[in-house]
Amino acid sequence: MLSIADPRLLTLLSHQNWTPKMPIFTATPPPSLGSVPTHISFLSHLLTGPDVSSSSSSCSLLIPYSSVSKVSHKFLGRRRPLVCAASEVSSKAFERPDREAGQAAAAARALQEAAASPDAIRLARRSADWKAARNYNDGRLIYEGRIEGFNNGGLLVRFRTLVGFLPFPQLSPSHFCTEPRRSPQEVARSLTGSLISVKVIQVDEEKRKLIFSEKEAVWSKFSDQVNIGDIFEGKVGSLEDYGAFVHLRFPDGLYHLTGLVHVSEVSWDLVQDVRDILTEGDEVRVKVLSIDREKARMTLSIKQLEEDPLLETLDKVIPQEGADSSDSLSNSDSSNIEPLPGLETIFEELLKENGIGDVRITRQGFEKRVVSQDLQLWLSNAPATNQKFTLLARAGRQVQEIQLTTSLDQEGIKKALQRVLERVP
């Protein structure tokens, strides 16, 4: 029990530095005590000022509830303090605040402490903004931020109280497919101060890393307008060993999305290095082969929009109507036709393929011009009839028609022929 005359309370109150505004309780000593004791008179002066007479029979002691609580925690552990200065103390003076009033007081104290600490406010806001960035990343949401500057690697984008990084490779291709062509720094300089739609692709609060992508935001907006088999005008972007990236032009005239043309889809001819065929900035037509909407990727083809040079017939190479003697077709006995150099080895290898029963030359002809001195094999574009399929062998001006007896379809024959040509030197 802590008495109001206890020197510990006197010491505590003397260090509180608070100015009372109204009394908490009034203590009146019983007649048996006579005059007010000296220590209570001292408290009266301490708490209410020098106006109060030390000989007064009663004193108004202004003890805030918070001070009592501090006494409790500092001197009495966790026991509820009991303040008593006389025999008659109003019980209402010591009623604890109800729960709602206590919560309101705690909130008020928290606000006061925050108001007194700007650093705490900034830390709280930044923590909340990192959490918001993670939510944008998890939800794949689009954020519109202002570009505040740039460096050699990309743009600096404001995200609430944070500043994130937008690498140049993550910009939409529409910024670069312009005439005249601009460098990344020129593009960045023109965009500084403007708003840009981006997606958060990486968040690391501990490493203070926040990375954006405009490409992914643009993909969300325009990918639904693309379907497999669609044909687009495009512009060649970067070239890699494995293929070329092509930017697709949309009806608004801008290049919003980018797809990959694999080196095998650049040309029907064998391409060792895509840089031998394409140059950055070239305008091409492409066909959409596949779309991965989850990974924001699509594959394109240039050669699918060109006629397969292997799909030919002898009648197309050498038209019969109006043909002169130099462009004639010979229907003589195949036994009298000497195979073009290298054909006999190919015939032997073809007969080793499953599904091919017989290979023979049926007729030959001569073209007006030399296509190539090297031996070339072309597939007919006509489907197999009664298990008969036609190949063309060409070298110089000479063209020979070869008939296969096979159970394979056109695609199966093409694969078989490719395997054979890989085996033949």
Side-chain angles (χ1 to χ4, degrees), residues 189-208:
R189 191 174 294 109
S190 67
L191 292 175
T192 300
S194 63
L195 294 174
I196 188 169
S197 296
V198 295
K199 278 190 175 183
V200 178
I201 59 174
Q202 187 176 354
V203 183
D204 191 329
E205 182 177 358
E206 183 178 349
K207 295 182 180 179
R208 304 177 67 83

Side-chain angles (χ1 to χ4, degrees), residues 7 24 102 240 297 367 415:
I24 298 299
E240 306 293 343
R297 297 175 183 173
E367 297 183 273
K415 291 181 178 179

Side-chain angles (χ1 to χ4, degrees), residues 89-95:
V89 178
S90 172
S91 61
K92 292 183 179 181
F94 297 95
E95 289 183 353

Side-chain angles (χ1 to χ4, degrees), residues 274-293:
V274 69
R275 298 171 186 85
D276 296 335
I277 308 297
L278 300 173
T279 303
E280 187 174 352
D282 286 350
E283 294 187 356
V284 294
R285 293 177 72 242
V286 293
K287 181 179 180 179
V288 179
L289 298 184
S290 67
I291 303 174
D292 189 332
R293 302 192 186 278

Side-chain angles (χ1 to χ4, degrees), residues 38-204:
T38 303
H39 51 268
I40 295 184
S41 175
F42 169 77
L43 280 178
S44 176
H45 280 285
L46 175 65
L47 304 178
T48 63
D51 301 346
V52 182
S53 171
S54 60
S55 62
S56 173
S57 62
S58 66
C59 60
S60 297
L61 302 182
L62 311 181
I63 305 177
Y65 185 82
S66 61
S67 294
V68 176
S69 298
K70 290 176 180 177
V71 172
S72 171
H73 289 285
K74 207 163 188 180
F75 296 104
L76 302 179
R78 297 189 176 275
R79 291 180 297 171
R80 180 175 177 179
L82 180 60
V83 180
C84 181
S87 59
E88 296 180 5
V89 178
S90 172
S91 61
K92 292 183 179 181
F94 297 95
E95 289 183 353
R96 299 186 65 179
D98 58 28
R99 180 169 300 176
E100 293 182 358
Q103 292 174 348
R109 285 195 300 271
L111 289 174
Q112 290 174 356
E113 292 173 0
S117 177
D119 290 341
I121 295 177
R122 284 193 295 269
L123 288 174
R125 287 178 178 174
R126 291 179 70 84
S127 178
D129 292 344
W130 280 110
K131 181 178 180 180
R134 288 191 292 271
N135 291 337
Y136 270 89
N137 184 30
D138 295 340
R140 299 183 178 181
L141 305 176
I142 295 177
Y143 178 81
E144 191 172 52
R146 188 172 301 279
I147 300 172
E148 296 199 342
F150 63 95
N151 55 30
N152 292 333
L155 304 175
L156 305 177
V157 180
R158 169 69 61 178
F159 182 89
R160 300 186 179 182
T161 62
L162 309 175
V163 175
F165 185 63
L166 173 56
F168 285 134
Q170 291 296 331
L171 279 172
S172 167
S174 61
H175 301 297
F176 302 99
C177 296
T178 57
E179 296 296 339
R181 294 181 61 188
R182 298 183 297 172
S183 67
Q185 285 71 26
E186 290 173 331
V187 171
R189 191 174 294 109
S190 67
L191 292 175
T192 300
S194 63
L195 294 174
I196 188 169
S197 296
V198 295
K199 278 190 175 183
V200 178
I201 59 174
Q202 187 176 354
V203 183
D204 191 329

